[in-house]
Amino acid sequence: MRTQAPAQHEVIPTPAVRPARPRTEGSYVPVAMPPHLAAIQRSAGNRAFNAVVQRAEGDAPAQEAEKDKPWTVFGVDGKSQEQLRSAVEVGYRRFDCAESYGPTTAALAGELAALPRDAYEIVYKFDVRAGEQPQELRARLTAVARLFGGRLDGLVIHNIGGDEQAARTAWHVLTELKGEKTAGGIGVGNVGVTHAALLGDLAATAPIDIVENSLESVLTDPALQELVKDTGAALYYYGAQTVAQQVAGDGKTDAAEALKAAAETVNGLHGAGREGTTSMITSSGNRERQGDNLRQLTLSPDSLDFEVDYDALDAVDKWRKSNNSCTENDTAFELPPPLRAFLDEVSNHQDALRAELAQENATPDRQAVAEWVHSRWNIDPAVLDGVTVPSRKGLRKRFLRMPVGAVLAGLFGAKNCDHKWSIELVQLLLADIDTWDMVSPFLKEITD
């Protein structure tokens, strides 16, 4: 049930366009609850699980899919074996994997081995390689598929903005693998409006089934919204927790409600009313948080039982329509000399330093990184927390005033996707304003 909207509220009208499902008395038939959801139901209560544990006689496939595989997707980037096991035990059944995430894909396969293949879904992203022959790409992708019973539910080119010729070659291979049922769907990741022509070429060969992008990008860029929507693809998005925290920064909105409101909003922008059109990727390593996310996001925003707070919807709407990049340069910013020397070393030797820390701690958190920096370079953790990213024209506001400690936690942490934006922030911290103006067009992760 949705709370009633204020009379003058202007939001994406997703509830109004959804086709109503008949709910006549006695039309639902109880079905057995999978063990992995039983514990969640006990703590969450029956109401939120109504659509998960019951099904309408005329809507059995959709209801069964929702029951067996909750809507939210678990991202495996940077996760340990224990954290992957926890996610499976808590009840996640849809997973976002990638070649660049290292051994996590094989580790996940081990945790899923006892389940029937139809009980879970795997989307696997890979990087194209210049000059790679089709048979070579086929070999490395089918090797991954063998980890999961010879089939991947989605195969996605991770970063479509790389080598376009290699992407076209890869797309032909993906088309063949889809025809052979090795891939259930094929797609592209990290799409921008500059890729419209390339997407058109790929779609002319075979339909684009999946697009994976950051939530921020598909909420704040109308041109990108239309481009992604026009592909007709299912949208997978990451970075939802970051957006929710930004929305909650108004001091009036609960972050958990903002998360659900963001899901509702992007679902409406992408075309509501088609079950499974959007999927949120979450990736907490904490078992309790994993359970909380799953309880909150088991249902798709397309479900009639998905609850959303209209005040949170309004906050998301205001956030996405606001200017989300900085418009001024902070001329007073200056790095302390010892910190500048350290960041300069980090900039030049990030891979070697990351490997060195990984030998001590495979999944270092922010505190572990701060302690390592203090022991190795004698930089006080208070300095890392006290110096923050300054305002620079074009910088995304999500990074404004981020402490250097948080930047380093992203750079030296286990999550591959954090390495990209964090190294660009290191470059920003080291650059004066004139240098920033020159290099900012090339810093795609932290600028609009």
Side-chain angles (χ1 to χ4, degrees):
M1 295 290 294
R2 284 174 167 73
T3 54
Q4 186 169 349
Q8 301 301 316
H9 192 80
E10 183 181 355
V11 295
I12 305 302
T14 53
V17 301
R18 289 183 186 154
R21 294 177 185 157
R23 295 192 172 217
T24 57
E25 187 68 21
S27 64
Y28 285 106
V29 184
V31 295
M33 174 176 285
H36 69 271
L37 289 181
I40 300 174
Q41 186 198 30
R42 285 194 292 271
S43 58
N46 289 326
R47 186 168 60 121
F49 274 76
N50 182 56
V52 179
V53 301
Q54 295 180 319
R55 59 181 172 136
E57 291 176 344
D59 197 19
Q63 292 293 329
E64 287 177 352
E66 196 168 34
K67 168 178 67 67
D68 293 332
K69 293 188 277 287
W71 172 72
T72 188
V73 181
F74 188 79
V76 307
D77 187 11
K79 298 298 172 288
S80 67
Q81 188 87 41
E82 182 180 356
Q83 290 168 333
L84 295 173
R85 182 176 302 123
S86 171
V88 174
E89 290 175 349
V90 163
Y92 287 91
R93 291 297 179 265
R94 306 175 66 207
F95 300 91
D96 179 71
C97 307
E99 177 183 29
S100 59
Y101 297 168
T104 53
T105 299
L108 175 65
E111 297 303 325
L112 295 172
L115 296 176
R117 180 59 184 86
D118 289 342
Y120 61 85
E121 297 176 2
I122 301 293
V123 171
Y124 180 77
K125 307 187 297 287
F126 67 97
D127 300 304
V128 298
R129 300 172 183 173
E132 183 176 38
Q133 297 302 306
Q135 62 271 23
E136 295 172 327
L137 176 59
R138 169 184 282 273
R140 65 181 172 111
L141 295 181
T142 53
V144 177
R146 283 195 293 272
L147 296 173
F148 303 98
R151 174 167 57 89
L152 296 166
D153 300 280
L155 264 176
V156 175
I157 299 174
H158 201 164
N159 297 288
I160 195 61
D163 187 319
E164 290 196 359
Q165 185 53 49
R168 290 184 172 88
T169 299
W171 194 251
H172 283 281
V173 174
L174 296 188
T175 301
E176 293 173 355
L177 292 175
K178 180 182 175 181
E180 298 164 7
K181 310 299 183 184
T182 301
I186 56 178
V188 293
N190 295 314
V191 169
V193 292
T194 58
H195 305 135
L198 175 58
L199 295 188
D201 291 345
L202 300 184
T205 300
I208 298 172
D209 302 310
I210 298 169
V211 170
E212 183 176 316
N213 262 56
S214 71
L215 177 59
E216 181 180 11
S217 70
V218 292
L219 279 182
T220 60
D221 188 337
L224 180 60
Q225 292 163 12
E226 290 303 310
L227 176 62
V228 174
K229 185 175 179 179
D230 287 347
T231 65
L235 173 64
Y236 286 65
Y237 57 88
Y238 59 90
Q241 294 284 357
T242 299
V243 168
Q245 292 295 335
Q246 291 179 53
V247 173
D250 64 3
K252 299 177 292 184
T253 307
D254 178 74
E257 293 299 331
L259 186 68
K260 296 177 73 174
E264 174 85 338
T265 302
V266 74
N267 197 60
L269 292 170
H270 193 59
R274 293 177 295 164
E275 198 75 30
T277 305
T278 64
S279 296
M280 180 190 295
I281 300 169
T282 61
S283 58
S284 175
N286 178 274
R287 186 186 183 95
E288 183 177 354
R289 179 64 62 82
Q290 289 172 351
D292 288 343
N293 288 341
L294 194 61
R295 280 189 291 272
Q296 186 178 6
L297 299 166
T298 292
L299 299 176
S300 161
D302 272 333
S303 169
L304 292 176
D305 289 322
F306 185 82
E307 297 182 352
V308 63
D309 180 85
Y310 276 94
D311 289 334
L313 266 178
D314 187 47
V316 170
D317 198 48
K318 290 178 179 177
W319 172 85
R320 73 181 189 86
K321 291 178 179 177
S322 67
N323 184 351
N324 286 296
S325 62
C326 300
T327 57
E328 297 181 351
N329 288 320
D330 181 355
T331 57
F333 176 76
E334 188 173 349
L335 275 176
L339 185 57
R340 172 174 289 278
F342 163 63
L343 291 178
D344 188 61
E345 182 176 353
V346 167
S347 175
N348 292 318
H349 305 289
Q350 56 163 319
D351 291 335
L353 292 173
R354 189 183 299 118
E356 179 181 318
L357 178 57
Q359 289 182 340
E360 301 177 20
N361 188 329
T363 57
D365 57 15
R366 182 169 171 176
Q367 181 178 349
V369 171
E371 291 174 353
W372 177 64
V373 170
H374 182 252
S375 65
R376 170 82 181 266
W377 289 273
N378 198 31
I379 295 177
D380 195 314
V383 174
L384 301 182
D385 288 335
V387 177
T388 63
V389 174
S391 177
R392 289 288 183 265
K393 289 181 180 179
L395 175 70
R396 292 181 185 176
K397 284 186 177 178
R398 62 163 289 200
F399 299 111
L400 181 64
R401 307 305 172 210
M402 178 181 284
V404 172
V407 175
L408 295 175
L411 186 63
F412 294 115
K415 292 185 66 175
N416 177 274
C417 57
D418 289 345
H419 301 167
K420 301 175 185 178
W421 57 259
S422 55
I423 189 59
E424 290 190 2
L425 287 179
V426 170
Q427 301 299 330
L428 179 155
L429 291 163
L430 290 169
D432 58 29
I433 292 174
D434 289 339
T435 303
W436 165 258
D437 288 340
M438 289 188 292
V439 303
S440 60
F442 304 99
L443 303 179
K444 301 299 185 182
E445 296 290 328
I446 63 173
T447 61
D448 284 339

